[in-house]
Amino acid sequence: MSDEQVEERLLRAEVDAELVGWRLDQALAALFPDYSRSRIQVWIREGRVTVDGKVRAQRHKVSEGERLVLRVVEETQIECVPQAMPLRILFEDEHLLVIDKAAGLVVHPAAGNPDGTLQNGLLYHDSSLARLPRAGIVHRLDKDTSGLMVVARSEPAYQRLVEALARREIHREYRALVVGRLRAPASVDQPIGRHPTVRTRMAVNPLGKPAVTHYEPIEAFHEHTLLRVCLETGRTHQIRVHMVHIRHPVFGDPVYGGRLQLPSGADEDLKVLMRGFGRQALHARRLILRHPVDECELCFDAPIPRDMGQLLGALRCHREAQETPDLDPAFYMAPGETGWETDGDED
């Protein structure tokens, strides 16, 4: 079983008279025939193409003399071998697995993480997964996001789960601790693509793919809010990007979170806990889907992991000690949110 390691190189060209008036994707396909037009269109949407130094949409009509730069993604193979590791499996039958992924576990092998990934562990758990793309993994969680993932174990299940995700028929619900106070449910409907200058980051980008995130505050703290978050789409870093876009980044996010903000009046224990948290406070809490073969409805819940539960507990203690007058006691805690996993460390 293998996965891709991404390498990049620059290709440059200038539009000649024969290409004037062509769409950008058509012109690039003609100039660089080694790459398919569909692949070029993906690169344009990801912001990997510039025209005279500016990112343009694929419908842009090129003009003579325009300088085109294409940042080509070359893919080489990384061997993915079975490796023994503990996996928290919540459900398993001949067609699928449901995993509660620990924070810190990378999903796929890639540059910098050639092994020790969830995919390596899945191949050890079931060697027959090698016949499926990416060992049956149909969606991802970021390395430091914990929680629920579904994995296909058969070809029919793989195809149907991919289709169900595309049709937005799989319900994914998260818990996110964000910086600042949010008081009302709302949605963020903003496209997401590659950051125009920092290629390792995603950003709200008008040339990106549609992305919709719904959120609802379920617990208020002194200077933070715990949210219930539901996704309509599944873009890379979607929750993290949308939250920072509305200026309420996920607490602890090392990429999008900015400078650590401690609540006023925090005691030394809370300061130590918050400074040492070490990841984004984001957990895939609930997963609802139809079984891809027998079509019965399946619903799974993954308790808040220990590290995030300890952080929430400390923030509750701080809230009570501060006796904040503008916090409605009825808003302190949503039903079913009090507990977290205690048998085993998630880190």
Side-chain angles (χ1 to χ4, degrees), residues 198-317:
V198 185
R199 307 309 305 174
T200 56
R201 297 177 59 174
M202 308 300 288
V204 167
N205 185 331
L207 299 179
K209 297 180 181 180
V212 180
T213 302
H214 307 289
Y215 65 85
E216 175 187 10
I218 58 175
E219 185 172 5
F221 301 103
H222 195 254
E223 296 174 26
H224 296 79
T225 308
L226 181 65
L227 303 180
R228 176 185 294 115
V229 183
C230 296
L231 298 180
E232 276 194 29
T233 52
R235 308 306 177 204
T236 301
H237 300 175
Q238 179 171 323
I239 294 173
R240 299 163 64 188
V241 169
H242 274 172
M243 288 299 102
V244 77
H245 178 70
I246 64 170
R247 300 183 180 180
H248 291 281
V250 177
F251 173 78
D253 191 327
V255 177
Y256 305 99
R259 184 175 58 85
L260 174 65
Q261 299 182 44
L262 297 170
S264 58
D267 61 24
E268 195 59 33
D269 288 344
L270 179 57
K271 290 178 181 178
V272 169
L273 189 61
M274 296 183 79
R275 286 171 178 152
F277 188 68
R279 70 174 180 102
Q280 62 265 12
L282 183 60
H283 175 67
R285 178 72 165 82
R286 174 166 291 185
L287 181 68
I288 303 174
L289 69 156
R290 290 202 171 275
H291 192 284
V293 176
D294 65 27
E295 297 188 348
C296 64
E297 184 175 87
L298 302 173
C299 180
F300 302 95
D301 287 284
I304 297 293
R306 181 190 297 271
D307 63 342
M308 192 169 167
Q310 290 175 334
L311 175 61
L312 294 175
L315 288 171
R316 288 176 192 126
C317 291

Side-chain angles (χ1 to χ4, degrees), residues 49-121:
V49 174
T50 58
V51 180
D52 287 341
K54 297 181 179 179
V55 174
R56 299 290 190 186
Q58 65 188 40
R59 64 179 179 274
H60 170 76
K61 300 295 180 65
V62 299
S63 301
E64 187 172 1
E66 285 183 326
R67 296 181 301 278
L68 310 182
V69 178
L70 171 60
R71 298 174 61 249
V72 171
V73 181
E74 300 286 6
E75 296 174 350
T76 58
Q77 297 298 306
I78 297 176
E79 190 68 20
C80 187
V81 298
Q83 289 179 307
M85 67 179 62
L87 296 176
R88 184 169 296 176
I89 298 174
L90 304 188
F91 177 86
E92 181 174 12
D93 69 8
E94 62 182 314
H95 295 291
L96 57 81
L97 292 162
V98 175
I99 307 282
D100 182 3
K101 186 188 85 69
L105 180 61
V106 175
V107 172
H108 297 299
N113 294 287
D115 56 18
T117 70
L118 175 61
Q119 187 171 333
N120 296 104

